[in-house]
Every structure is written in C-alpha cells, then in structure tokens.
Amino acid sequence: MWLGFLLCAGAVLVAKASPHAADIEQLIKDEQFIGRISDNIYEDARLDVPELITKYGYPVEIHYVVTSDGYILTIHRIPHGRDQNNDPSVKRPVIFLMHGLLSSSADWVLMGPGCALGYILAEAGYDVWMGNARGNYYSREHLRLRPDALLNTDFWDFSWDEIGNIDLPTMIDFALQSTGQERLHYIGHSQGTTAFFVMASLQPDYNQKIISMHAMAPVAYLANSGNLLLKALAQFTSPLDSLARLIGMGEFLPNSAIMTWAGQALCMEEVAFQQICSNILFLVGGWNEAQHNSTMLPVKLGHTPAGASVRQVAHYGQSIADKSFKRYDHGLLKNRRLYGSYRAPAYDLSKITTPVFLHYSASDPMAHVNDVDRLFMELGRPVGKFRISDRAFSHLDFMWAIDAKTLLYDRIINLIQAMEVSGLNENFDLRI
C-alpha cells in the first residue's frame, strides 16, 4: 500500500477552483441568481475546498495517498479549531468523514462555520480528516489510467465496493499513521455509510481501528427505496453499465452536463421551478422546503456533483432490484473468477463489530425506515438508532439542512464524547 504526503498547509499551491466554478460564473453573468445571494456566496461557489477552509481562517492540510490499484486520492484535514480548541500542539481525537454519492469533502464545509459539520467538529476539539473517493473531483488521478481517455473506461471500472474495500482502508491507515493514533471515529453520509459497511464486513480487522461509527442516512438495503431515479435504473443496471462501457462513457453525470441542465432548465425566469432554482440532485436526495437554504444554492451547485462512476449507480440499482446488500454482480463467469462463486456474495454484516449509531429520518427516499431497521438487526454490534425529529427531514438535509446542527450534529458530538469518556459500559446513556 502506497502512502502519500503532506503537500501544503495553506492550500495555495494546488488551488484549482471548485468543480463548477466556470458554470457558476456563467450563471452569474446571465443574472440567474439576481436578488438571491451576495458576492460572498458567489466566491464560496468558486473556491475549492482548501481555499474555502483557508478563507474562513481555519488551518487546512492537503494529503495524497495512492491505493494498491493505483488511484491517487486526496484527503483534506482541519487539524484544530479557529476560535476554540485552536492550540496546534495538542494531540486530539481523530474523526474521519466520508461523503456520499456524487459528492466530495466539500459537503463537510460548504455551508460555512457554525453550520458545516467539519468546522463544528474542529471547534469541538477534534482532528478532522475528510476523504475523497476515487473518481470524484479531488481524486481524479491514477498512476497509469486517465479518467477522460477516449473510448477507454478502465479508470471508471469500480463501484462503491472498491471504495469501501480499498479506498477507505488506505485513507484511514494514513490518517492514523500521520496522527500517531491507534483508533478514530468515523462519520459517513449515504454512500459514505455504504462504503464503511463494505470495509468492516470484508476486512473485519478494521473494526478494531474504529471507536464509533455514525451513519447519517445509512444506505445498505434498498428494498423499500423511494428514489425515483435509482428505481428506474434498477431495471437496466447490467445493460446500463455494459452500454456505457461500449460507448466509452464510464462517468455518471459529468460536470458540465448537470450544470447546464440546472442553469438552463430550472433557473430561467419563465420556468415553473424558477422559484426554487433546484437541480437534479434533489431528484436523488428528496426535497424539504423548510430546511432548504436557497441562499446557499449557488455554493451547492458550485461543488456538487463532484463525480462518480456509472458502476456506482448501477450497483445501487442492483441492490434495489435484488432487495439485497451484495457485492457487484459482474455476471456468472467474472463473478466466479473474482468471488469464487457464480453469484455475487452478500456482505456479512454480522462481522461489523464496530459500535454503530444509525441516524435516519422518516422521509428519506434513499434510506427507508424499514431498510434501516433491517440493517440495524443484522449488524454485529448496533448500539443506537436515532430518528430525526423533523418528519420532513430528507436525504440531503443531513448535510445541508438549516437546522442540521440542532437536529443531528449536536447529538452525534455528544455520543462521540460519551464514547471517548466511558466507551460502551453499563453507564452509557443511550436514547433512541
């Protein structure tokens, strides 16, 4: 396993703007957001993650790691707070954050200090490490393969199985080695939870490296998924992946396409949806008007989507179609070669002995309550199952809701602090 290195502490050497900076510039030029936002928001939409963190006065480090199969991943780190817990000489508990599908480390900081979980954790006294899965905007490099190679999709030959089985262990090992810690806390959102369940079931030794795991909008089983896009794709998962590879397309929803659609189809004055100026991500993640901060929409559009493979989406489609949680189904012959069986094997959730806390909502189209219940019963060491009190709370609200701190983040921090103090003993105070 290759390990990376610290590139800089100020983030200025590799600044390259946010994924959709050029598209945001065009929307501004076309006056799509007039009357909604300030110039400060425009700036946040264009800055990349290290620039964004630096702008708000927080320390930031950029690390690269190389996986065993050659992917070069970027990890962003906020080692300490700005206003509190800001002594750089103090050794702090490590928290590793992992984003969801079509997202990046930007999810943990784009809502700004006091609102975004990355900053909140740093102020609470934690050493915050934010991973980026292979194929997203910050991990779009490989030792040999090119993501934009003409009629060659080898770079995109992965699903979230590889993200969990290869990327997560590589990044977690690097964070632990860099900090001198033996264990860390893990917080994931959506696919970030799926990847953890993959890692901890396929490589049970990693359970010993995790103090606690907090799954926000946990996604494993999707038998009851209400996600319209994934349900539609579930009928064509194998043909979808094969066709995409045949025509030389391995990436799902490349950057320019999604932004063009969002800007032209939804934000124009004469369009019915102009009031919310939404984007296709809400088709995947659901919509909650009361928790949607429309002022921050340009920032969200500036950083999301951040890239994913067609196979990641197809793998979720297989989960919906099979009503199971299995490794990617490549077909009989390739399954036999890779897994030793003609059928894709199921992930053994009983091997996950990390203390797991599930945070879910009643209106999440991706993580249905019944699927969360099934996951909880099959985990090797489930500890807590917490439903968000806001019944309208949806999938993207876990990252971007106006009241995410009071509804979710404060409770997660309380649980982490309790684990730090007493672990799972008889005095552990658990409220479901």
Side-chain angles (χ1 to χ4, degrees):
M1 184 178 295
W2 294 70
L3 291 180
F5 54 91
L6 170 64
L7 182 63
C8 66
V12 294
L13 297 181
V14 293
K16 57 179 181 178
S18 65
H20 308 292
D23 299 291
I24 289 294
E25 291 280 4
Q26 187 61 49
L27 290 176
I28 294 170
K29 182 178 180 181
D30 294 341
E31 300 186 344
Q32 296 299 325
F33 295 121
I34 284 295
R36 286 190 174 83
I37 56 178
S38 68
D39 289 344
N40 195 44
I41 299 298
Y42 292 148
E43 183 178 61
D44 287 3
R46 296 191 296 263
L47 297 177
D48 70 3
V49 167
E51 290 176 317
L52 203 55
I53 296 171
T54 300
K55 170 185 172 179
Y56 287 105
Y58 283 83
V60 61
E61 296 175 1
I62 306 168
H63 298 265
Y64 294 125
V65 295
V66 182
T67 66
S68 57
D69 55 350
Y71 286 86
I72 303 172
L73 313 178
T74 300
I75 310 173
H76 296 128
R77 178 192 187 190
I78 306 176
H80 57 79
R82 179 191 64 184
D83 304 318
Q84 298 177 334
N85 295 297
N86 51 16
D87 183 350
S89 66
V90 175
K91 187 174 182 179
R92 309 172 194 285
V94 175
I95 295 184
F96 190 90
L97 306 179
M98 194 62 188
H99 61 79
L101 181 68
L102 291 170
S103 296
S104 72
S105 56
D107 273 359
W108 309 109
V109 297
L110 66 83
M111 294 301 288
C115 296
L117 182 57
Y119 296 128
I120 293 172
L121 290 171
E123 294 291 356
Y126 295 97
D127 185 351
V128 181
W129 293 71
M130 301 173 286
N132 284 288
R134 61 180 65 191
N136 86 1
Y137 181 68
Y138 298 99
S139 297
R140 200 181 168 86
E141 295 184 41
H142 191 279
L143 294 178
R144 301 175 304 277
L145 307 174
R146 294 188 296 115
D148 300 315
L150 185 64
L151 298 180
N152 185 323
T153 62
D154 288 350
F155 177 92
W156 300 101
D157 191 13
F158 62 84
S159 76
W160 35 261
D161 184 276
E162 286 79 9
I163 293 172
N165 197 27
I166 303 174
D167 293 2
L168 275 191
T170 303
M171 292 187 288
I172 287 174
D173 283 344
F174 181 79
L176 291 176
Q177 179 182 343
S178 299
T179 59
Q181 299 280 21
E182 296 182 355
R183 307 172 72 205
L184 53 75
H185 297 275
Y186 183 101
I187 301 176
H189 173 244
S190 189
Q191 183 187 259
T193 72
T194 311
F196 180 90
F197 299 140
V198 170
M199 177 188 73
S201 62
L202 294 182
Q203 301 189 54
D205 287 349
Y206 275 85
N207 286 289
Q208 303 304 314
K209 299 183 181 185
I210 312 297
I211 302 170
S212 68
M213 187 277 188
H214 300 266
M216 303 194 309
V219 178
Y221 292 109
L222 290 168
N224 299 284
S225 173
N227 186 287
L228 298 178
L229 177 61
L230 292 182
K231 287 178 70 174
L233 293 176
Q235 306 173 55
F236 312 103
T237 50
S238 295
L240 172 68
D241 186 41
S242 300
L243 177 61
R245 293 180 64 82
L246 184 65
I247 63 176
M249 186 187 77
E251 184 177 13
F252 181 72
L253 290 179
N255 291 352
S256 59
I258 183 74
M259 282 301 299
T260 299
W261 184 85
Q264 296 181 0
L266 292 182
C267 297
M268 298 297 287
E269 202 61 43
E270 65 271 15
V271 176
F273 292 104
Q274 192 268 346
Q275 179 181 357
I276 59 175
C277 193
S278 183
N279 75 66
I280 200 171
L281 290 176
F282 293 108
L283 179 63
V284 177
W287 179 257
N288 181 4
E289 182 81 23
Q291 290 295 330
H292 173 57
N293 186 337
S294 59
T295 299
M296 293 296 290
L297 185 59
V299 184
K300 300 170 188 176
L301 291 177
H303 293 272
T304 313
S309 72
V310 171
R311 187 165 293 178
Q312 285 171 251
V313 180
H315 199 170
Y316 277 128
Q318 289 181 356
S319 297
I320 293 175
D322 295 342
K323 301 184 185 302
S324 62
F325 185 45
K326 297 179 179 179
R327 306 194 70 175
Y328 187 79
D329 187 350
H330 296 272
L332 296 178
L333 296 181
K334 192 169 182 179
N335 284 346
R336 178 68 178 175
R337 186 171 78 251
L338 294 177
Y339 309 134
S341 62
Y342 291 111
R343 295 181 180 274
Y347 298 106
D348 187 351
L349 296 174
S350 68
K351 292 184 177 180
I352 303 177
T353 56
T354 296
V356 174
F357 300 81
L358 304 181
H359 306 268
Y360 69 107
S361 64
S363 299
D364 190 336
M366 281 287 287
H368 190 277
V369 172
N370 293 344
D371 293 326
V372 173
D373 288 342
R374 180 181 178 185
L375 168 64
F376 186 79
M377 289 186 292
E378 294 187 16
L379 287 169
R381 199 180 185 186
V383 180
K385 184 156 58 79
F386 302 89
R387 183 183 298 194
I388 304 297
S389 59
D390 178 2
R391 292 193 60 81
F393 210 79
S394 197
H395 198 68
L396 293 179
D397 290 337
F398 285 84
M399 304 303 304
W400 299 341
I402 294 172
D403 299 318
K405 182 179 184 297
T406 55
L407 290 173
L408 175 64
Y409 300 159
D410 288 345
R411 180 173 62 206
I412 290 177
I413 291 174
N414 287 337
L415 290 169
I416 290 174
Q417 290 173 340
M419 290 291 292
E420 284 286 328
V421 172
S422 59
L424 286 178
N425 60 30
E426 65 277 6
N427 297 318
F428 192 82
D429 184 15
L430 179 64
R431 293 184 173 88
I432 300 179

